């Protein structure tokens, strides 16, 4: 229970709860896109690793290991010659990594635009609220300002980490 309370009280959860539902959905879609890009990247690296292992075993005129054989079978390349397996793996790796790069450019550009828009909108709302506040309400406002600025910084940090 203590860990659940810690998660609920975390700055990330408070920052996400600070967003309206439409922005929250867009933010989760952006995070899902980053995870999908990572999986595509991982697939390309698996193809490269399998290609390297297959090439080494082929040069040594040995049978590939069981893991390599399972991956080759999973990708549907088991009936091909060694050269065709290597070519197929190279094409799959190259294609997945190129697609990942192009999608990464698109998603990152859209994500940065979205996060910039969120930051500008939060700043605008804060300034509007501040200008309407009397001096006694400033203490309560400054606490909300602190959470909003932490939210903006946290979203930007999450974007850079992704």
């Amino acid at each position: 229970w203590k860990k659940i309370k810690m998660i609920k009280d975390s700055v990330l959860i408070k920052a996400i709860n600070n967003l309206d539902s439409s922005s929250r959905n867009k933010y989760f879609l952006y995070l899902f896109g980053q995870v999908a890009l990572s999986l595509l990247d991982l697939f390309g690296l698996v193809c490269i690793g399998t290609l390297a292992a297959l090439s080494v075993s082929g040069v040594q005129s040995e049978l590939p290991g069981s893991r390599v054989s399972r991956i080759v079978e999973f990708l549907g390349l088991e009936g091909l010659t060694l050269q065709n397996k290597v070519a197929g793996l190279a094409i799959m790796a190259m294609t997945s990594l190129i697609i990942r790069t192009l999608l990464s450019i698109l998603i990152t550009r859209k994500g940065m635009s979205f996060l910039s828009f969120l930051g500008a909108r939060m700043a605008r709302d804060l300034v509007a609220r501040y200008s309407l506040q009397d001096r006694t309400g400033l203490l309560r406002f400054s606490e909300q300002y602190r959470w909003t600025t932490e939210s903006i910084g946290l979203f930007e940090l999450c974007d850079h980490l992704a």
Side-chain angles (χ1 to χ4, degrees):
W1 295 110
K2 196 173 190 180
K3 287 184 180 182
I4 292 175
K5 182 174 178 0
M6 234 170 60
I7 291 172
K8 283 184 178 180
D9 292 341
S10 72
V11 176
L12 177 63
I13 299 299
K14 288 181 180 180
I16 290 173
N17 288 336
N18 202 16
L19 299 173
D20 59 66
S21 64
S22 173
S23 296
R24 193 177 307 131
N25 290 340
K26 287 178 185 176
Y27 185 70
F28 284 127
L29 182 65
Y30 172 72
L31 289 179
F32 175 76
Q34 291 293 336
V35 170
L37 288 177
S38 298
L39 292 175
L40 193 58
D41 198 28
L42 184 64
F43 175 76
L45 293 176
V46 165
C47 287
I48 290 172
T50 306
L51 178 128
L54 197 61
S55 297
V56 168
S57 66
V59 167
Q60 295 176 350
S61 299
E62 295 177 359
L63 290 175
S66 63
R67 290 183 191 162
V68 174
S69 296
R70 277 187 275 157
I71 293 172
V72 168
E73 184 180 326
F74 176 75
L75 295 174
L77 302 173
E78 71 273 358
L80 303 175
T81 64
L82 178 66
Q83 291 83 4
N84 288 340
K85 287 177 188 176
V86 169
L89 285 167
I91 289 170
M92 282 186 222
M94 180 183 65
T95 303
S96 70
L97 293 175
I98 288 173
I99 289 172
R100 188 247 190 258
T101 302
L102 295 175
L103 288 176
S104 179
I105 292 169
L106 178 71
I107 288 174
T108 302
R109 185 179 296 160
K110 292 283 187 183
M112 292 300 273
S113 173
F114 170 69
L115 291 174
S116 299
F117 170 75
L118 278 179
R121 189 174 69 188
M122 287 179 179
R124 180 200 65 200
D125 292 346
L126 280 172
V127 169
R129 283 189 210 155
Y130 176 72
S131 63
L132 298 175
Q133 291 269 334
D134 60 351
R135 298 296 174 223
T136 58
L138 274 172
L139 184 59
R140 186 173 37 92
F141 174 77
S142 65
E143 180 68 21
Q144 185 176 7
Y145 172 77
R146 184 175 68 86
W147 281 112
T148 303
T149 54
E150 285 180 7
S151 300
I152 293 168
L154 188 62
F155 289 134
E156 291 171 357
L157 175 66
C158 289
D159 180 56
H160 289 296
L161 293 176

